[in-house]
Amino acid sequence: TLFEAIRQALATIGAQRPTALFLDDLQWADDATSELLGALARSLDSQPLLLLGAFRSDELPRGHAVRRLRSELRRASGLRQITVEPLDAEATAVLLERTLGKVAPSLRRVVYDRTDGVPFFVRELGSALAASGRLVPGPSGLELLRGEDVPVPDSIRDAVLLRAAGLSDEARDAVSTAAVAGLA
């Protein structure tokens, strides 16, 4: 009954005007949500309705409902998947400048090296730098104070800890070892 009510509501909305429904963080979706999305995709395929979903593929275990939904939609030719890659150095600089204003090339490099172009990390690191008092105006934009390090914002630390919480003890030990070893 609930599936039918949601399907009917979306069909009514779609009949009035073309509609897009965006669902984020589907890696946290339960089986019922995935079943609903599969049913909607099958029953609303002739409606002017676009269902968009975003998920972190690295957070989907093998048996996750979204993996099954993806396979089902792929077989029915109802899936168009776009993989979002990290930003390159130039796009990272643009996002950093939207967060902080004009920044010096040296700060752009530091932030890109520290974040690998992951947009969430770029914004959070930029905000943390602004709040920390570690930035000073320079001739070509904001610069990191001489001798200051780049902080790890609490929001990034929390995100990493949350992702690591679901790992086995052995996997957490491996992640800790890799963190100490750093990039090769």
Side-chain angles (χ1 to χ4, degrees), residues 92-111:
T92 297
V94 169
L95 181 56
L96 183 62
E97 289 194 339
R98 286 186 183 161
T99 304
L100 295 175
K102 187 165 173 57
V103 296
S106 59
L107 183 58
R108 290 179 187 169
R109 280 190 301 278
V110 166
V111 170

Side-chain angles (χ1 to χ4, degrees), residues 5-178:
I6 293 171
R7 188 203 64 74
Q8 188 60 44
L10 291 174
T12 300
I13 292 167
Q16 294 172 2
R17 69 178 67 122
T19 303
L21 176 62
F22 178 70
L23 304 167
D24 197 10
D25 291 325
L26 287 175
Q27 71 273 8
W28 295 328
D30 59 9
D31 289 345
T33 302
S34 293
E35 287 177 34
L36 170 64
L37 293 175
L40 289 175
R42 287 187 300 277
S43 65
L44 295 172
D45 62 347
S46 63
Q47 299 288 328
L49 178 69
L50 176 63
L51 294 174
L52 298 168
F55 59 90
R56 294 178 173 270
S57 59
D58 58 339
E59 291 188 20
L60 293 180
R62 283 192 187 169
H64 195 283
V66 171
R67 285 194 186 274
R68 291 190 303 272
L69 173 64
R70 224 175 30 175
S71 288
E72 176 186 324
L73 293 174
R74 199 176 286 125
R75 280 192 305 275
S77 299
L79 176 72
R80 179 165 181 217
Q81 186 168 325
I82 300 169
T83 303
V84 179
E85 299 293 333
L87 303 174
D88 62 15
E90 186 176 320
T92 297
V94 169
L95 181 56
L96 183 62
E97 289 194 339
R98 286 186 183 161
T99 304
L100 295 175
K102 187 165 173 57
V103 296
S106 59
L107 183 58
R108 290 179 187 169
R109 280 190 301 278
V110 166
V111 170
Y112 180 71
D113 290 346
R114 187 72 184 255
T115 64
D116 288 330
V118 176
F120 170 74
F121 293 161
V122 173
R123 299 242 8 185
E124 292 300 314
L125 183 55
S127 296
L129 284 168
S132 72
R134 296 176 183 179
L135 298 178
V136 293
S140 56
L142 292 174
E143 299 174 344
L144 193 60
L145 277 170
R146 189 175 311 278
E148 288 290 331
D149 62 341
V150 179
V152 176
D154 289 338
S155 56
I156 293 175
R157 186 182 328 273
D158 291 345
V160 170
L161 289 173
L162 280 172
R163 291 183 78 185
L167 298 175
S168 68
D169 290 340
E170 295 82 17
R172 266 197 306 281
D173 288 344
V175 168
S176 295
T177 301

